[in-house]
Amino acid sequence: MTTGTIDIGLAPGDASRGAAAPQKPAGNHPAGALRTCDTTGLPVCLVAQQFIKLHAVVAVVFLLVGGIAAILLALTRWPAVHLLPAEWYYRILTLHGLNMLIFWILFFEVAILYFASTSLLNSRLASKGVAWAGFALMLVGALMVDVTILQGKADVLMTSYVPLRGDPLFYLGIILVAVGTLTGVFNFFATLWIAKRDRTYEGSMPLVTFGALAAGIIATVTLLHGAIVAIPTFLWSLDLMHQPDAAWYRLVWWGLGHQSQQVNVTAMVSVWYFLATITTGAKPLNQAVCRGAFVLYILFINLASAHHLLVDPGVNAGWKIWNTSYAMYLAVLASMIHGFTVPASVEVAMRKKGFTKGLFGWLAAAPWKNPGFSAFFLSLAIFGFIGGITGVTLGTEQINIIAHNTLRIPGHFHATVVGGTTLAFMGLTYYVVPLIFQREYRARAVARLQPYIFAAGIVLMSMGMSFAGSYGVPRRHWDIEFTGAQFSHGFDPGAHVMLGLLGLGGTLAFVGLLTFILLTVTAVFFGPSNKGRAMTAW
Amino acid sequence: MSPEKPVADVIRSEHAREEGDHHAPGTFVLVLVLLFTFAVYYFANWKALADVWQVR
């Protein structure tokens, strides 16, 4: 199917076919600042398009930096290879965390916010100048952080727990990234406001935009935590004030560190809904329930960050239990709701197309050769089955005592952030490039395979980490053999098998990541143009 | 495959309810599998905790 529009596949005789589509309200775009997507029929604000492109390209560059760091780390944690010297291990670990967890994802999320507030609401972007300011602050800040790390002036890991102290430019860079992102988020809020004021859409905003709004609200709270913790630390690094209290630092820092991952989760869920619609024609199962789940994220996700402090002596047991065994479960409930409604919406859509055989005929007939769909569904499965299950378990205070600071923790969050968020964003990219850059992918057979390679690598790596952690292997540790120590200390041979799995999985995931970047860069700069026609369907 | 409908129309009409919108038996089974997997993993961890932290 290559003509007209994307096949979202309503079955012949579908009840909705006869119903006329709602009348499209007029947008608020200035003359000449709008095009209509030939594939989806969605309006595209040309100013927003420019910034979606900029943020997406820079995001992929930081993904590459973080990915190179990742393979170096995986090959160091694999004792049989043990690639990096100790100094560079911690340096590259700092680089990896910040580029993968913060820069790649924040840049991509701002692109999502601009898309969700303009194309889905038929609105112009509130301010081009503000968008430039936000983008420039983010870019300059991220470059400052990376250069400072590579110069060896900030080997403090992503958490940079005091009394570890980095170069002032490291903290200033983080502050600039936070302020730049906040600027982009407020541009998104302003766009929502002018769209409402100008009545560019009718009724409630679409669910995807609502999810983006939830992500924006959580991002604001998150980045304010970042400012509260980073500004005094920055001043301390300049010797302008005393060292911040270490326990206070850890508490407030996780308001940034954990919540930033919940911005990712919320944005990822929004991307799931969008990819479900664009690849199978799915509609949200129940608006009230889905929106209620996003509200649960807003209300409870901040309190859930307490699970990072479950063995911290600075806070008491009652505080830990309330935040992790009550508040956290309400945030988990939200993920469980989405974990049901997203695949259920796909099932409903597929059944309406006529794929009604048995319990799973709809799943077997799903468009698995479409990398947008496969990335989305694999992301859903990895996030739920590996990331979700391990997360809830590790977040239990008593169980946490046998897992804290072991490799089980990275085993969990690589399944959520990489297998979940990054894979979903990759799936979205397979539509962003043809629809926003208006360029087609080359080597489409490889593109169809890429999500499977990446997902398989991440699953292997995550399982390797988790089981190695179960043997007691610590996280953030350069040499678990303690080479040259006066007392020998070894781990069970099973731990080494699992660390080997980590290395192999990491290598496979890196191949998948590199394939994604090569395919995307080739498409953006050398792909055939599809201007004036619909994209070639996957 | 079937005739096409622009994504824009699907998004604009996403609030409209249709017959069969909640019939998802396959997903319900997948959710039960998730629940079972969680129960096994969760209680295996309590067992592991009990093995290293014995209460007498």
Side-chain angles (χ1 to χ4, degrees), chain A residues 24 39 64 74 99 131 170 202 217 229 232 244 248 298 304 335 352 371 395 398 413 465:
Chain A
K24 186 172 78 174
T39 307
L64 178 62
N99 280 269
F170 174 78
E202 288 177 345
I217 292 170
V229 78
W248 172 87
I298 297 171
S335 289
K352 284 185 176 177
Q398 295 87 342
F413 69 69
M465 285 177 162

Side-chain angles (χ1 to χ4, degrees), chain A residues 14 30 80 156 204 216 253 439:
Chain A
D14 184 285
V156 292
S204 301
W253 192 90
R439 297 279 186 167

Side-chain angles (χ1 to χ4, degrees), chain A residues 258-271:
Chain A
H258 183 72
Q259 278 208 104
S260 59
Q261 305 324 307
Q262 300 312 317
V263 181
N264 302 341
V265 168
T266 312
M268 173 192 71
V269 171
S270 301
V271 169

